[in-house]
Amino acid sequence: MTLQSIMDEVRNLPGTGEVIAVIDPATEEQITEFTDGGAKAVEEAVSRARESFEAGVWHGLPGSERAKILWRAADLIDEYATEIAQLDSINTGMPFVQAHSIVGTSAEFFRYYGGWCTKVNGIAHDVHMTGGITGAHSNMHGYTLKEPVGVVGLIFPWNGPIFNACAKLAPALAAGCSVIVKPAEETPLSALLLVKLLAQAGVPDGVVNLVNGYGHTAGAALSEHPDVDKIAFTGSTEVGKKIVQVASGNLKKVMLELGGKSPVLIYDDADLNTAILSAAMGIFVHSGQGCISGSRIFVQRGVYDQVVEGIAAIANSLKLGGPKDEGVHIGPLISQKQLTRVMGFVEEGKRDGVEVVAGGSRIDRPGYFVHPTVLTDVRPDMRLYQQEIFGPVVPIMPFDDDDQVVAMANDTTYGLAATAWTSDVGRAHRLAKRLDAGTVTLNCQMVFDHAMPFGGYKQSGWGYEHGREGIEGYMKTKSVYTQI
Ligand code: NAD
């Protein structure tokens, strides 16, 4: 499988809707194109998934067999790491080295969840009730069964195509589900290669089905389909709410990993060099298009000027460019739409009196590049303080004490992640309890582990990915009573 063969194959995927151009965001040139699969492709994919599920070709296998296939998939992803990284870097604009390291992390999802195939079991219960409608319950035994939830639609965004695909596919398959994969319309390439690798690893026909297309066509059709048992979605909070509405038709289960506006707290007793570098890279890496990007920075007043200067200096030193340029730290935004959106926030901020300490403009070259941008004099009522920008733009605000900064940090509808930098260990752990976020990092930032649950508080999501919670999200629990 070569890069060119994937580009050609995506062009020939069945579809009946609009032809969608796949763009290299570093050059604005078209890489390939495909046809929106729309509701028809969804219908066919759901029917194949249902058939495979009812036939038990996958969940009927012993867990140890499913595990071997998932481990083989991990090895194949590693084997094709260069090709996958090339596809994701040309398709998202991220530096190749970064894309390559993400492939390794993504393969690990299959190793990690392969291990769970033999370890998610129900439990035995003693039955204590001594009376009831049907009379006395004596000599009874109870136990639970863990069963796959069924046919699941996996919908995810463009910001880390292979990562987002593997984070959902690995636990869904480990649980025994049959799936329909709907990648973002901007980034259809690596998902196609992944689906082929899963088939090569031994996942039976009909268990993994790919549908490409726009969100409002293919994504919406999948979300409202009456024969889909669950939607696992990663994307914006706005779309997450739409999915909840249409999913209510058959009351399908919904798992949501949504947006964030994650606060980073830097105290005056922190290791400032490390905090400044991590906070800067925590927003600028991948041009701020990470769900857990630290997109609001709060600095204790005594070191405020020093931290602002430090982060601005890093912003000014970063080299932007495409995957083919030398020595690049960060790439472009994904699309013209995102560029317009990000610059809209910056221009509005300027009009509202925000001070631009670094960046504040797009780069004068082809591609959707925005200078890493540092803003001060930002007020909490501003849109750029409250809303997810998803670009390399960060407001930095001063604070005086714990109560004040906790109130400011929690003053948003999001609750995905939060970070605190302080050498006071007690304070760090008190903050971990008080910060309203599904993930809190103390004296470190942008960390993740396959075994640690990941989910959003407030409007950042429902349910969890990763860890034991990740596979349990794709299972249901049955209670069995038996007379003995
Ligand atoms: P998006 O919500 O616009 O799109 C995400 C996916 O949903 C795409 O595949 C899209 O085609 C599909 N979609 C769009 N409209 C749909 C609809 N009506 N019905 C069904 N599917 C639909 O998000 P985006 O702009 O592509 O991605 C950025 C967002 O993703 C940010 O908000 C970011 O924070 C979030 N994100 C969250 C996490 C997390 O784990 N919490 C991880 C990565 C990205």
Side-chain angles (χ1 to χ4, degrees), residues 6 73-74 76-92 94-110 154 156-171 181-184 186-198 210 234 286 334 448 450 465-466:
I6 295 294
L76 282 167
I77 295 168
D78 281 341
E79 198 180 310
Y80 282 88
T82 301
E83 288 79 359
I84 297 171
Q86 282 170 338
L87 289 170
D88 273 359
S89 60
I90 193 173
N91 204 172
T92 64
M94 78 169 76
F96 173 80
V97 178
Q98 196 185 325
H100 197 269
S101 79
I102 292 175
V103 179
T105 310
S106 307
E108 279 309 305
F109 277 115
F110 285 94
L154 310 176
F156 46 87
W158 41 262
N159 68 333
I162 192 69
F163 182 93
N164 288 328
C166 293
K168 291 195 163 15
L169 266 158
V181 180
K182 209 305 267 165
E186 295 87 350
T187 53
L189 302 177
S190 58
L192 175 58
L193 177 49
L194 178 62
V195 166
K196 291 161 102 44
L197 295 179
L198 290 170
L210 181 66
T234 297
H286 200 18
I334 188 72
F448 125 93
H450 299 83
E465 291 202 304
H466 316 167

Side-chain angles (χ1 to χ4, degrees), residues 129-132 134-138 140 483:
M129 281 287 287
T130 54
T134 55
H137 298 326
S138 56
M140 293 208 72
Q483 186 76 57

